Amino acid sequence: MEQAIDIVLMAFMAVTAIVMIRLRNLYAVVMLSGIFSLLSASMFVVLDAVDVAFTEAAVGAGISTVLMLGTLALTFREERPRRRRDLTPLAVVLVTGAALIYGTLDMPHFGDPNAPIHHHVAPRYIEDSPVEVGPPNMVTSVLASYRGYDTLGETTVIFTAGVAVMVLLSGVWRRRRRVAPLDPDAGRVSADGEGRPAHTETDP
Amino acid sequence: MRMHSVLRTSTKLLMPPIMLFGLYVQFHGDYGPGGGFQAGVIFAVAFILFALIFGPDRARAVAPSWVTTPLCAAGVLLYAGVGLVTMALGGEYLNYNVLAADPHDGQHLGILLVELGVGLTVWAVMVSIFLAFVERGRVETTAPDPESGDAPRD
């Protein structure tokens, strides 16, 4: 039964990914990426990783979809058609994929109880965390107590990302950008604010 | 959005449960799935929904930048400060055992404070990023700088 759910979810994810590659309408692509995140969140639920699923649903399907829509409102809704077919990305993807699959051949099978990861620190967390730390949710014990340094680092990363976005989007650079000569190919924000692409064709 | 009374009413109905759920996820992370990160995101979603429906001006009235910008740093500082307090009390950095007489209580208090720091930072960063996007779009599209002579073309 679980395997059937896995197969169905994987098939949906593959279809979503392929449709995302083929579509030119970026609004639909953003919506589909939200659906993709929701499908992977369901996948994490099947894997009994509810904390990860929760994060994926809230961040991947929720916030990042909204932020992508905000980006679309500032730029274009349609992807520009490609001028020529370039095979380099395909080759890069194929080589990388083959290398990754080759790498997994040495790895222990999925769910193997003898895998090294189940014998390193996981038994300590499972057996001792109720005594040493206390909370019934071991994920919280691991994240906030055993691996407090990592979580502090992650929080700092979020803070840094926020500061970077605020610096990039705030008014510091605007005046200089306006003075700089405009590249005729560069996208301009449309006047109506609806996210419709402005006319970028140069007049004859 | 002034005409969409269904959207406006349902937003008003949805916001309190979303925020309450965010608080639940924040403070119930010890017992169930969730924690500061998810709670911060959920709490931010309530503000983003408000900004989408009622506009960024009214959202900024609720979450002005002098609140959100310092809170981005305040969460990280709270987290790092807990570590400094544990060092001052004679433990290692972020060893919560020394925060209370009983190690269990100390761990509980430490995790609560640390998760609160994560939640604060995540909430403030998410709201700031979203409003930065929205406000930039408005400045670029509706209020062109008259001095630059670069009025929006049609």
Side-chain angles (χ1 to χ4, degrees):
Chain A
M1 184 59 198
E2 206 172 295
Q3 223 159 18
I5 297 173
D6 280 351
I7 291 169
V8 169
L9 282 176
M10 285 292 234
F12 272 131
M13 283 166 84
V15 169
T16 316
I18 292 168
V19 173
M20 271 162 73
I21 295 169
R22 297 204 61 84
L23 274 179
R24 287 259 169 274
N25 184 345
L26 294 176
Y27 183 78
V29 170
V30 168
M31 285 300 153
L32 282 170
S33 74
I35 291 173
F36 190 88
S37 289
L38 205 59
L39 287 168
S40 46
S42 328
M43 200 77 183
F44 291 134
V45 173
V46 177
L47 292 170
D48 284 337
V50 274
D51 279 88
V52 187
F54 201 166
T55 314
E56 181 68 38
V59 178
I63 287 271
S64 46
T65 309
V66 172
L67 288 182
M68 293 283 233
L69 289 178
T71 317
L72 283 190
L74 293 180
T75 55
F76 296 109
R77 271 214 183 154
E78 289 281 330
E79 190 181 345
R80 223 178 303 162
R82 235 161 287 153
R83 297 204 175 100
R84 60 195 170 84
R85 219 170 260 279
D86 195 358
L87 289 179
T88 323
L90 182 65
V92 170
V93 166
L94 282 179
V95 169
T96 317
L100 287 174
I101 290 174
Y102 177 72
T104 57
L105 293 180
D106 277 349
M107 281 173 68
H109 287 292
F110 175 71
D112 182 2
N114 295 317
I117 188 142
H118 298 311
H119 291 278
H120 184 46
V121 286
R124 161 90 184 265
Y125 292 155
I126 293 169
E127 284 160 17
D128 294 348
S129 83
V131 184
E132 284 182 341
V133 185
N137 183 7
M138 280 168 206
V139 179
T140 302
S141 307
V142 173
L143 282 183
S145 190
Y146 286 112
R147 305 228 169 145
Y149 288 6
D150 301 59
T151 311
L152 177 59
E154 284 160 19
T155 315
T156 316
V157 166
I158 294 167
F159 167 69
T160 317
V163 169
V165 169
M166 277 186 265
V167 167
L168 283 173
L169 290 186
S170 70
V172 181
W173 307 101
R174 200 171 296 133
R175 192 164 292 274
R176 274 176 61 187
R177 268 178 50 121
R178 283 184 179 281
V179 174
L182 280 171
D183 179 8
D185 272 347
R188 288 289 297 147
V189 176
S190 66
D192 54 17
E194 298 273 336
R196 278 193 285 272
H199 295 286
T200 50
E201 307 92 8
T202 43
D203 293 324
Chain B
M1 283 290 170
R2 203 158 295 145
M3 309 298 286
H4 295 276
S5 55
V6 173
L7 285 178
R8 290 160 57 88
T9 313
S10 52
T11 302
K12 283 177 187 169
L13 279 177
L14 276 174
M15 266 190 71
I18 291 175
M19 294 169 94
L20 194 62
F21 185 59
L23 290 175
Y24 168 80
V25 171
Q26 171 79 52
F27 294 108
H28 209 255
D30 298 6
Y31 304 99
F37 192 84
Q38 294 94 329
V41 169
I42 293 170
F43 215 69
V45 161
F47 284 81
I48 289 175
L49 182 66
F50 183 80
L52 280 175
I53 303 299
F54 293 98
D57 288 331
R58 291 183 65 182
R60 269 296 182 213
V62 187
S65 54
W66 62 265
V67 170
T68 54
T69 312
L71 276 182
C72 293
V76 181
L77 288 176
L78 174 61
Y79 199 136
V82 171
L84 291 181
V85 168
T86 57
M87 280 176 86
L89 290 174
E92 295 93 349
Y93 190 71
L94 291 178
N95 179 0
Y96 312 130
N97 282 353
V98 295
L99 284 176
D102 182 51
H104 266 194
D105 292 345
Q107 288 282 348
H108 201 92
L109 181 63
I111 291 176
L112 190 81
L113 289 173
V114 158
E115 294 275 7
L116 191 63
V118 176
L120 277 179
T121 291
V122 170
W123 172 78
V125 165
M126 296 297 165
V127 172
S128 303
I129 289 180
F130 178 76
L131 287 177
F133 269 99
V134 174
E135 281 162 0
R136 181 186 175 87
R138 268 186 339 150
V139 168
E140 290 256 315
T141 54
T142 60
D145 191 354
E147 293 166 16
S148 69
D150 186 23
R153 296 172 290 174
D154 249 42

